[in-house]
Amino acid sequence: MPTTQKKTPLKSARANGRSSGEDNERVISRIAESLEVAQADLNKLRGSLGAGANDLRKDLSKLLRDARRDAKKMASASRKDLKRLQKDVVSAAKPPAARSRRTRAAKPAGRSSRAAR
């Protein structure tokens, strides 16, 4: 009778020793590199295209350039969001500080400033 192998669950990012921020950075940098390669290949086609296709190449080149720029913006925004989130989680995990109870000093039983007039 063949033995059945148990499927091991996928390791989480923390189990691999990587944080989710590092995973995000890796994925976004991979996307940016792919966009750079696509733009370089598109520029290689420049001379072999006709007039109508040249306009299309320019539009596509602009689209790739914008996508690469947006990927960089997204990487920095996600990095900032992750840092802010980690800071919020740490501050939420701390027990609230014991609030000092202030007692107001009792006013003296003398006359008020209006009664003195």
Side-chain angles (χ1 to χ4, degrees):
M1 181 171 242
T3 60
T4 58
Q5 294 180 354
K6 291 184 179 180
K7 291 185 179 182
T8 59
L10 296 175
K11 291 184 178 181
S12 67
R14 292 218 184 261
N16 288 337
R18 281 182 270 153
S19 69
S20 60
E22 290 172 353
D23 287 340
N24 289 344
E25 289 288 326
R26 184 177 49 84
V27 169
I28 292 172
S29 67
R30 211 169 65 202
I31 290 170
E33 288 173 12
S34 297
L35 290 170
E36 288 173 11
V37 168
Q39 192 167 16
D41 290 344
L42 185 63
N43 287 334
K44 289 178 185 177
L45 293 174
R46 182 182 301 174
S48 63
L49 297 176
N54 201 21
D55 290 339
L56 180 63
R57 183 198 57 82
K58 286 181 183 178
D59 291 343
L60 189 55
S61 179
K62 184 179 184 300
L63 181 70
L64 287 171
R65 186 174 49 246
D66 291 345
R68 203 172 68 225
R69 183 195 55 188
D70 291 342
K72 288 179 184 178
K73 284 183 182 180
M74 185 174 56
S76 64
S78 67
R79 189 179 319 115
K80 287 178 187 177
D81 287 345
L82 190 61
K83 284 181 182 179
R84 182 183 48 80
L85 213 95
Q86 286 173 342
K87 190 170 115 177
D88 290 347
V89 167
V90 168
S91 66
K94 290 182 181 178
R99 295 182 180 176
S100 62
R101 295 185 182 180
R102 294 185 202 171
T103 57
R104 292 186 177 182
K107 290 186 179 181
R111 294 188 225 165
S112 67
S113 62
R114 285 188 174 178
R117 291 184 184 173

mmCIF file of all heavy atoms in Angstrom, residues 9 12-13 18 26 40 48 63 71-72 74 76 81-82 84-86 94 102 104 107-108 114 116-117:
data_model
loop_
_atom_site.group_PDB
_atom_site.id
_atom_site.type_symbol
_atom_site.label_atom_id
_atom_site.label_comp_id
_atom_site.label_asym_id
_atom_site.label_seq_id
_atom_site.Cartn_x
_atom_site.Cartn_y
_atom_site.Cartn_z
ATOM 1 N N PRO A 9 1.782 22.961 4.216
ATOM 2 C CA PRO A 9 1.213 24.263 3.875
ATOM 3 C C PRO A 9 2.309 25.210 3.396
ATOM 4 O O PRO A 9 3.474 25.065 3.747
ATOM 5 C CB PRO A 9 0.596 24.752 5.189
ATOM 6 C CG PRO A 9 1.299 23.988 6.249
ATOM 7 C CD PRO A 9 1.715 22.681 5.636
ATOM 8 N N SER A 12 4.566 31.104 5.119
ATOM 9 C CA SER A 12 4.228 32.525 5.020
ATOM 10 C C SER A 12 5.497 33.318 4.792
ATOM 11 O O SER A 12 6.606 32.800 4.862
ATOM 12 C CB SER A 12 3.541 33.000 6.301
ATOM 13 O OG SER A 12 4.455 32.957 7.375
ATOM 14 N N ALA A 13 5.336 34.582 4.508
ATOM 15 C CA ALA A 13 6.490 35.441 4.250
ATOM 16 C C ALA A 13 7.383 35.516 5.480
ATOM 17 O O ALA A 13 8.602 35.535 5.379
ATOM 18 C CB ALA A 13 6.021 36.830 3.845
ATOM 19 N N ARG A 18 11.282 36.694 5.256
ATOM 20 C CA ARG A 18 11.051 37.940 4.530
ATOM 21 C C ARG A 18 9.794 38.590 5.067
ATOM 22 O O ARG A 18 8.815 37.922 5.366
ATOM 23 C CB ARG A 18 10.852 37.665 3.043
ATOM 24 C CG ARG A 18 12.132 37.433 2.303
ATOM 25 C CD ARG A 18 11.842 37.220 0.857
ATOM 26 N NE ARG A 18 11.654 35.782 0.686
ATOM 27 C CZ ARG A 18 10.918 35.219 -0.239
ATOM 28 N NH1 ARG A 18 10.279 35.947 -1.088
ATOM 29 N NH2 ARG A 18 10.800 33.924 -0.311
ATOM 30 N N ARG A 26 10.010 43.387 -3.950
ATOM 31 C CA ARG A 26 10.523 42.445 -4.948
ATOM 32 C C ARG A 26 9.576 42.344 -6.134
ATOM 33 O O ARG A 26 9.999 42.378 -7.291
ATOM 34 C CB ARG A 26 10.719 41.069 -4.300
ATOM 35 C CG ARG A 26 11.338 40.034 -5.203
ATOM 36 C CD ARG A 26 11.557 38.720 -4.462
ATOM 37 N NE ARG A 26 10.395 38.261 -3.733
ATOM 38 C CZ ARG A 26 9.388 37.562 -4.269
ATOM 39 N NH1 ARG A 26 9.417 37.242 -5.530
ATOM 40 N NH2 ARG A 26 8.365 37.166 -3.529
ATOM 41 N N ALA A 40 12.580 48.888 -24.020
ATOM 42 C CA ALA A 40 13.806 48.747 -24.803
ATOM 43 C C ALA A 40 13.552 47.969 -26.085
ATOM 44 O O ALA A 40 14.049 48.334 -27.163
ATOM 45 C CB ALA A 40 14.880 48.057 -23.963
ATOM 46 N N SER A 48 11.976 49.804 -38.202
ATOM 47 C CA SER A 48 11.320 48.855 -39.096
ATOM 48 C C SER A 48 9.811 49.057 -39.194
ATOM 49 O O SER A 48 9.146 48.288 -39.863
ATOM 50 C CB SER A 48 11.620 47.430 -38.635
ATOM 51 O OG SER A 48 11.089 47.231 -37.353
ATOM 52 N N LEU A 63 2.962 55.082 -22.772
ATOM 53 C CA LEU A 63 2.219 54.276 -21.809
ATOM 54 C C LEU A 63 3.166 53.466 -20.925
ATOM 55 O O LEU A 63 2.981 53.401 -19.697
ATOM 56 C CB LEU A 63 1.249 53.351 -22.548
ATOM 57 C CG LEU A 63 0.380 52.454 -21.689
ATOM 58 C CD1 LEU A 63 -0.655 53.279 -20.957
ATOM 59 C CD2 LEU A 63 -0.294 51.412 -22.543
ATOM 60 N N ALA A 71 4.734 52.622 -11.154
ATOM 61 C CA ALA A 71 5.195 51.486 -10.348
ATOM 62 C C ALA A 71 6.171 51.960 -9.275
ATOM 63 O O ALA A 71 6.122 51.496 -8.134
ATOM 64 C CB ALA A 71 5.850 50.430 -11.234
ATOM 65 N N LYS A 72 7.041 52.906 -9.624
ATOM 66 C CA LYS A 72 7.968 53.447 -8.626
ATOM 67 C C LYS A 72 7.218 54.213 -7.554
ATOM 68 O O LYS A 72 7.531 54.107 -6.358
ATOM 69 C CB LYS A 72 8.996 54.355 -9.299
ATOM 70 C CG LYS A 72 10.011 53.615 -10.120
ATOM 71 C CD LYS A 72 10.990 54.561 -10.785
ATOM 72 C CE LYS A 72 11.961 53.822 -11.682
ATOM 73 N NZ LYS A 72 12.883 54.739 -12.352
ATOM 74 N N MET A 74 4.149 53.688 -6.631
ATOM 75 C CA MET A 74 3.422 52.714 -5.833
ATOM 76 C C MET A 74 4.354 52.034 -4.834
ATOM 77 O O MET A 74 3.969 51.761 -3.700
ATOM 78 C CB MET A 74 2.768 51.669 -6.733
ATOM 79 C CG MET A 74 1.893 50.695 -5.981
ATOM 80 S SD MET A 74 0.974 49.545 -7.016
ATOM 81 C CE MET A 74 2.261 48.779 -7.959
ATOM 82 N N SER A 76 7.059 53.312 -3.410
ATOM 83 C CA SER A 76 7.363 54.208 -2.294
ATOM 84 C C SER A 76 6.133 54.424 -1.417
ATOM 85 O O SER A 76 6.248 54.485 -0.187
ATOM 86 C CB SER A 76 7.904 55.541 -2.801
ATOM 87 O OG SER A 76 6.930 56.224 -3.546
ATOM 88 N N ASP A 81 3.260 53.337 3.664
ATOM 89 C CA ASP A 81 2.057 52.809 4.310
ATOM 90 C C ASP A 81 2.397 51.666 5.255
ATOM 91 O O ASP A 81 1.839 51.562 6.346
ATOM 92 C CB ASP A 81 1.045 52.326 3.271
ATOM 93 C CG ASP A 81 0.363 53.463 2.545
ATOM 94 O OD1 ASP A 81 0.450 54.617 3.017
ATOM 95 O OD2 ASP A 81 -0.257 53.204 1.497
ATOM 96 N N LEU A 82 3.300 50.809 4.850
ATOM 97 C CA LEU A 82 3.682 49.680 5.678
ATOM 98 C C LEU A 82 4.386 50.148 6.944
ATOM 99 O O LEU A 82 4.116 49.636 8.029
ATOM 100 C CB LEU A 82 4.573 48.722 4.892
ATOM 101 C CG LEU A 82 4.858 47.388 5.560
ATOM 102 C CD1 LEU A 82 3.563 46.622 5.799
ATOM 103 C CD2 LEU A 82 5.781 46.556 4.710
ATOM 104 N N ARG A 84 3.970 53.057 8.408
ATOM 105 C CA ARG A 84 2.964 53.694 9.245
ATOM 106 C C ARG A 84 2.097 52.641 9.920
ATOM 107 O O ARG A 84 1.774 52.738 11.101
ATOM 108 C CB ARG A 84 2.093 54.624 8.407
ATOM 109 C CG ARG A 84 1.046 55.373 9.222
ATOM 110 C CD ARG A 84 0.152 56.227 8.361
ATOM 111 N NE ARG A 84 -0.382 55.555 7.199
ATOM 112 C CZ ARG A 84 -1.428 54.724 7.214
ATOM 113 N NH1 ARG A 84 -2.039 54.469 8.344
ATOM 114 N NH2 ARG A 84 -1.854 54.164 6.107
ATOM 115 N N LEU A 85 1.742 51.585 9.188
ATOM 116 C CA LEU A 85 0.934 50.521 9.737
ATOM 117 C C LEU A 85 1.663 49.790 10.858
ATOM 118 O O LEU A 85 1.070 49.476 11.891
ATOM 119 C CB LEU A 85 0.577 49.536 8.620
ATOM 120 C CG LEU A 85 -0.760 48.874 8.756
ATOM 121 C CD1 LEU A 85 -1.753 49.680 7.943
ATOM 122 C CD2 LEU A 85 -0.685 47.471 8.228
ATOM 123 N N GLN A 86 2.957 49.524 10.649
ATOM 124 C CA GLN A 86 3.739 48.857 11.691
ATOM 125 C C GLN A 86 3.805 49.723 12.943
ATOM 126 O O GLN A 86 3.699 49.217 14.058
ATOM 127 C CB GLN A 86 5.143 48.560 11.179
ATOM 128 C CG GLN A 86 5.193 47.430 10.194
ATOM 129 C CD GLN A 86 6.570 47.257 9.577
ATOM 130 O OE1 GLN A 86 7.393 48.157 9.620
ATOM 131 N NE2 GLN A 86 6.801 46.096 8.973
ATOM 132 N N LYS A 94 0.741 48.392 22.801
ATOM 133 C CA LYS A 94 1.178 48.849 24.112
ATOM 134 C C LYS A 94 -0.033 49.109 24.996
ATOM 135 O O LYS A 94 -1.039 49.626 24.535
ATOM 136 C CB LYS A 94 1.987 50.141 23.987
ATOM 137 C CG LYS A 94 3.328 49.947 23.345
ATOM 138 C CD LYS A 94 4.077 51.253 23.294
ATOM 139 C CE LYS A 94 5.426 51.088 22.630
ATOM 140 N NZ LYS A 94 6.126 52.364 22.540
ATOM 141 N N ARG A 102 -6.287 64.206 37.906
ATOM 142 C CA ARG A 102 -6.077 65.515 38.506
ATOM 143 C C ARG A 102 -7.327 65.889 39.292
ATOM 144 O O ARG A 102 -8.432 65.751 38.813
ATOM 145 C CB ARG A 102 -5.841 66.568 37.430
ATOM 146 C CG ARG A 102 -4.575 66.358 36.671
ATOM 147 C CD ARG A 102 -4.387 67.492 35.731
ATOM 148 N NE ARG A 102 -3.491 67.090 34.652
ATOM 149 C CZ ARG A 102 -3.254 67.788 33.577
ATOM 150 N NH1 ARG A 102 -3.861 68.944 33.405
ATOM 151 N NH2 ARG A 102 -2.437 67.375 32.655
ATOM 152 N N ARG A 104 -9.231 68.959 40.968
ATOM 153 C CA ARG A 104 -9.251 70.409 40.957
ATOM 154 C C ARG A 104 -9.263 70.903 42.394
ATOM 155 O O ARG A 104 -10.000 70.393 43.236
ATOM 156 C CB ARG A 104 -10.476 70.931 40.220
ATOM 157 C CG ARG A 104 -10.433 70.633 38.750
ATOM 158 C CD ARG A 104 -11.565 71.295 38.073
ATOM 159 N NE ARG A 104 -11.490 71.056 36.629
ATOM 160 C CZ ARG A 104 -12.337 71.540 35.775
ATOM 161 N NH1 ARG A 104 -13.344 72.284 36.175
ATOM 162 N NH2 ARG A 104 -12.201 71.293 34.494
ATOM 163 N N LYS A 107 -12.211 75.960 45.220
ATOM 164 C CA LYS A 107 -12.080 77.410 45.269
ATOM 165 C C LYS A 107 -12.311 77.867 46.703
ATOM 166 O O LYS A 107 -13.134 77.306 47.430
ATOM 167 C CB LYS A 107 -13.100 78.066 44.338
ATOM 168 C CG LYS A 107 -12.794 77.843 42.883
ATOM 169 C CD LYS A 107 -13.751 78.623 42.040
ATOM 170 C CE LYS A 107 -13.433 78.437 40.572
ATOM 171 N NZ LYS A 107 -14.329 79.191 39.710
ATOM 172 N N PRO A 108 -11.598 78.917 47.116
ATOM 173 C CA PRO A 108 -11.815 79.417 48.481
ATOM 174 C C PRO A 108 -13.246 79.960 48.623
ATOM 175 O O PRO A 108 -13.856 80.409 47.664
ATOM 176 C CB PRO A 108 -10.788 80.529 48.640
ATOM 177 C CG PRO A 108 -10.259 80.811 47.278
ATOM 178 C CD PRO A 108 -10.580 79.641 46.423
ATOM 179 N N ARG A 114 -17.371 89.314 40.910
ATOM 180 C CA ARG A 114 -18.568 90.093 40.604
ATOM 181 C C ARG A 114 -19.193 90.659 41.872
ATOM 182 O O ARG A 114 -19.718 91.762 41.870
ATOM 183 C CB ARG A 114 -19.605 89.230 39.883
ATOM 184 C CG ARG A 114 -19.267 88.978 38.477
ATOM 185 C CD ARG A 114 -20.413 88.320 37.821
ATOM 186 N NE ARG A 114 -20.134 88.197 36.383
ATOM 187 C CZ ARG A 114 -20.937 87.628 35.549
ATOM 188 N NH1 ARG A 114 -22.079 87.123 35.958
ATOM 189 N NH2 ARG A 114 -20.626 87.561 34.273
ATOM 190 N N ALA A 116 -17.684 91.617 44.462
ATOM 191 C CA ALA A 116 -16.844 92.649 45.016
ATOM 192 C C ALA A 116 -17.144 94.001 44.381
ATOM 193 O O ALA A 116 -16.894 95.022 44.959
ATOM 194 C CB ALA A 116 -15.385 92.319 44.824
ATOM 195 N N ARG A 117 -17.704 94.033 43.214
ATOM 196 C CA ARG A 117 -17.999 95.289 42.515
ATOM 197 C C ARG A 117 -19.182 95.916 43.021
ATOM 198 O O ARG A 117 -20.009 96.187 43.484
ATOM 199 C CB ARG A 117 -18.169 95.035 41.012
ATOM 200 C CG ARG A 117 -16.885 94.658 40.394
ATOM 201 C CD ARG A 117 -17.102 94.527 38.912
ATOM 202 N NE ARG A 117 -15.862 94.062 38.315
ATOM 203 C CZ ARG A 117 -15.729 93.717 37.096
ATOM 204 N NH1 ARG A 117 -16.746 93.788 36.273
ATOM 205 N NH2 ARG A 117 -14.612 93.311 36.613
#
